[in-house]
Amino acid sequence: METERVPPGIDPTKAHPSRRYNYWLGGKDNFAADRESAAVVASAFPTVALSARENRAFLKRVVTHLAGEAGIDQFFDIGTGLPSAGNVHEVAQAIEPTSRIVYVDNDPVVLVHARALLTSHPAGKTAYIEADLRDPDAILRNTELRRTLDMSRPVALMLVATMHFITDDDDPYGILARLLSPLPSGSHLVMTHATNEHLTPEQYAANVEANERSGVPFRLRSREEFARFFDGLEILSPGITSVVEWRSEDPPEKPPSVEDVSMLCAVARVP
Ligand SMILES: C[S@@+](CC[C@H](N)C(=O)[O-])C[C@H]1O[C@@H](n2cnc3c(N)ncnc32)[C@H](O)[C@@H]1O
């Protein structure tokens, strides 16, 4: 994206996670500041683009599972990202056309592109809410949410590659508890999260330093810290795994290593 085409209200000099992720996925909706931030992260974690691609592949697999076997037809996707191949509503509505999806993101560039997220099948519905995950009450109060989703029926709350942008000061566990509070039994939580579990202390220090320098707050979490998000929920088989390993039915001959991807995932049911 060239700076002369910057939509009003957007600061192209500041890196943003959605545009940086778009760059790692091979997209064009990013600015020089996003690419510079991406290079700083890659200096400490060179396989970050692979990790982004594997995360996106997991997203498609998990929505396919939820919309199919699990019978979920309502999705609440927070930290949606820029529209990309296989958006949640496209995957879900290909299986169940009546599926309803609410997308939430805080990047104004995602809002500019939101039209691509609102191309619902006529039998279903999609909505986009511009809001910050750090203010879950504002998300829950938004009238689009209840206009689109029936909160008396199961909903899949999706926080895919999003919670690692929430630092401890912003109380990530409290945010999640608030978002889960109105969801009925049978709802699901889907989360992926970058992890430090395969890093040596030196690699970990280099990653923390690079993330600080990249201009995007980021918090790598251990497997135990990730598991805490699922307290009180019923984690589905195969449990907490790398995104590479989660129900990957047709794995390539040489699948990427869990160390290179360093992204944990789990899917859980609200009892
Ligand atoms: C790495 S992308 C993941 C996109 C998509 N969920 C996926 O996995 O393909 C993370 C997204 O979270 C959004 N995000 C980060 N912090 C956020 C916040 N505090 N509130 C809302 N969205 C946020 C970013 O704008 C970005 O679009």
Side-chain angles (χ1 to χ4, degrees), residues 16-22 24-25 52 55-59 77-82 84-86 88 104-108 110 128-135 139 158-166 170 175 192 216-218 263:
H16 199 286
S18 64
R19 277 120 52 182
R20 201 174 64 175
Y21 183 67
N22 168 268
W24 283 322
L25 290 179
N55 176 73
R56 193 75 193 171
F58 162 83
L59 178 70
D77 180 28
I78 305 182
T80 300
L82 282 153
S84 174
V88 172
V104 180
D105 208 286
N106 71 340
D107 182 352
V110 179
Y128 181 79
I129 298 174
E130 189 182 27
D132 198 304
L133 175 57
R134 288 166 293 185
D135 188 358
I139 298 175
M158 322 260 310
L159 288 157
V160 180
T162 302
M163 210 42 130
H164 41 223
F165 298 109
I166 305 299
D170 287 315
I175 290 173
T192 72
V216 174
F218 195 83
M263 185 81 76

Side-chain angles (χ1 to χ4, degrees), residues 187-267:
S187 293
H188 285 64
L189 169 66
V190 178
M191 203 186 293
T192 72
H193 198 298
T195 181
N196 54 16
E197 74 173 342
H198 308 293
L199 302 177
T200 63
E202 295 72 27
Q203 288 169 328
Y204 177 59
N207 273 269
V208 170
E209 188 276 327
N211 284 324
E212 273 167 16
R213 217 157 28 90
S214 77
V216 174
F218 195 83
R219 170 73 156 83
L220 288 161
R221 292 193 167 93
S222 67
R223 182 172 284 254
E224 290 67 34
E225 288 170 320
F226 181 65
R228 225 186 109 192
F229 287 113
F230 295 88
D231 280 356
L233 304 178
E234 299 162 356
I235 300 184
L236 307 191
S237 166
I240 295 175
T241 66
S242 163
V243 289
V244 176
E245 295 171 329
W246 198 90
R247 300 196 188 198
S248 151
E249 268 146 34
D250 195 13
E253 213 166 282
K254 213 170 156 276
S257 77
V258 298
E259 291 82 4
D260 283 349
V261 174
S262 280
M263 185 81 76
L264 290 172
C265 71
V267 181

